[in-house]
Amino acid sequence: MGNGVSMTLAPHTMKRSRRLSVKNKQLKYAELILQTFDKTKTGTLNRDEVHALCMSIVSEVAPLVGVLDSDIDIIMRVGGDTAKAEVTVEEIPDALSAVLALKSENVFIHELFIKYDADKSNSLPKDQLSNLITELNEGIIPHDNDLDFIIKQCDVSGDGAIEEAQIKAAIMGWYCLAEEVPMPASVEEAKSHGYSEEQIQQFLQEAKDAGFNDTQIVEFMAKKGIKSEREIGDPAASEEAAATPAEEAAPAAEAAPAATPEPTPEPTPEPAAPVTEAAPTEAAPVSE
């Protein structure tokens, strides 16, 4: 009986001892990190000390990509919702996990920069930056206006190109712009904002994916007086396609604005009613 109980508890005891062993190793490593980077001797790591810790790990693989303030904010959260002022020795293992995730992200950005630096100039001009962001944007080309804004904000050398040291800030800036720019309401509006024909067709496809059917999209285009996805590639059919939906959409769209016929029948419709009543009475004997 006793042997049976001991055999049942043994695996759980072994697992618990392994977890304790790992935790003890983590704490010892955390204490070693604290001794190395706690320059203020407070027993914790402040933002500057965490930044130094990050650079010592990240710079091994992608030294030029660097570490942003937003990266430090994530690490200082140590799994929480807000950034703390200091990281304690017990929180260092969680902070290290965030640092290692940052390291992987920087490696990805570095490889992406090398991939699109076609001329090996160690900088990305507008066209190469566009190709890089297009890959991040799932094949959708970024707006020229956005690219110009990003280059203006991040081009420290003034040559109209983004160096590897600024590429991470450029990507973060583009993500912020992508979140702020609303979806255009029409093709004309999209064109005025610099969207390409490919992007416009992509928007129309997204409308379908969002649940809008072909009829709704065509009616919307007809009411706006703009070309639909099919009409963009077929100018000959555009006139017929634009005319038909416009006529079909007219009753629905003009049902509410029926106020236009009302001004004409102001006094006339009222006398017209008795005239129509008299006509049938006179026509009755004629038919007999």
Side-chain angles (χ1 to χ4, degrees), residues 148-169:
D148 292 337
F149 178 81
I150 291 169
I151 292 174
K152 182 179 179 180
Q153 295 297 318
C154 302
D155 176 22
V156 295
S157 60
D159 60 354
I162 300 297
E163 300 175 3
E164 187 173 358
Q166 289 79 46
I167 188 60
K168 192 171 186 178

Side-chain angles (χ1 to χ4, degrees), residues 7 21 23-24 49 127 129 195 228 242 246 254 267:
M7 290 298 292
S21 176
K23 188 173 182 179
N24 290 333
E49 292 164 347
D127 58 336
L129 178 63
Y195 289 88
S228 67
E254 293 174 2

Side-chain angles (χ1 to χ4, degrees), residues 136-275:
L136 294 176
N137 200 25
E138 299 180 352
I140 301 177
I141 303 171
H143 319 152
D144 283 343
N145 294 340
D146 289 351
L147 292 171
D148 292 337
F149 178 81
I150 291 169
I151 292 174
K152 182 179 179 180
Q153 295 297 318
C154 302
D155 176 22
V156 295
S157 60
D159 60 354
I162 300 297
E163 300 175 3
E164 187 173 358
Q166 289 79 46
I167 188 60
K168 192 171 186 178
I171 292 173
M172 294 298 295
W174 175 79
Y175 273 121
C176 293
L177 288 174
E179 291 176 358
E180 293 174 0
V181 174
M183 183 73 72
S186 67
V187 172
E188 287 181 342
E189 182 180 344
K191 288 182 177 179
S192 68
H193 288 312
Y195 289 88
S196 65
E197 296 290 345
E198 292 80 7
Q199 288 173 315
I200 292 171
Q201 293 184 15
Q202 178 68 26
F203 292 142
L204 294 175
Q205 183 61 48
E206 289 178 0
K208 290 182 181 180
D209 296 340
F212 294 95
N213 58 40
D214 291 346
T215 304
Q216 290 172 321
I217 292 176
V218 171
E219 287 181 355
F220 169 76
M221 293 296 181
K223 291 176 184 178
K224 291 287 186 180
I226 52 184
K227 293 183 178 181
S228 67
E229 182 179 8
R230 300 180 188 84
E231 297 165 349
I232 291 173
D234 187 2
S238 63
E239 297 178 359
E240 299 177 3
T244 309
E247 294 172 359
E248 295 175 356
E254 293 174 2
T260 48
E262 288 179 4
T264 48
E266 293 170 357
T268 49
E270 296 176 357
V275 172

Side-chain angles (χ1 to χ4, degrees), residues 13-87:
T13 304
M14 291 297 294
K15 289 180 181 178
R16 184 170 180 274
S17 64
R18 290 195 193 100
R19 287 196 296 269
L20 289 174
S21 176
V22 170
K23 188 173 182 179
N24 290 333
K25 288 180 180 178
Q26 290 177 341
L27 286 175
K28 288 182 180 179
Y29 186 51
E31 290 172 356
L32 179 61
I33 289 176
L34 193 64
Q35 293 175 6
T36 305
F37 294 96
D38 182 19
K39 303 301 182 182
T40 56
K41 305 301 180 182
T42 59
T44 58
L45 298 180
N46 59 32
R47 284 186 69 92
D48 292 337
E49 292 164 347
V50 169
H51 185 275
L53 169 64
C54 286
M55 290 303 297
S56 69
I57 296 175
V58 171
S59 61
E60 297 175 357
V61 289
L64 294 179
V65 176
V67 177
L68 302 179
D69 285 341
S70 57
D71 297 329
I72 301 299
D73 287 338
I74 294 174
I75 297 168
M76 299 298 288
R77 290 177 187 175
V78 286
D81 296 330
T82 57
K84 300 181 178 181
E86 296 175 328
V87 175

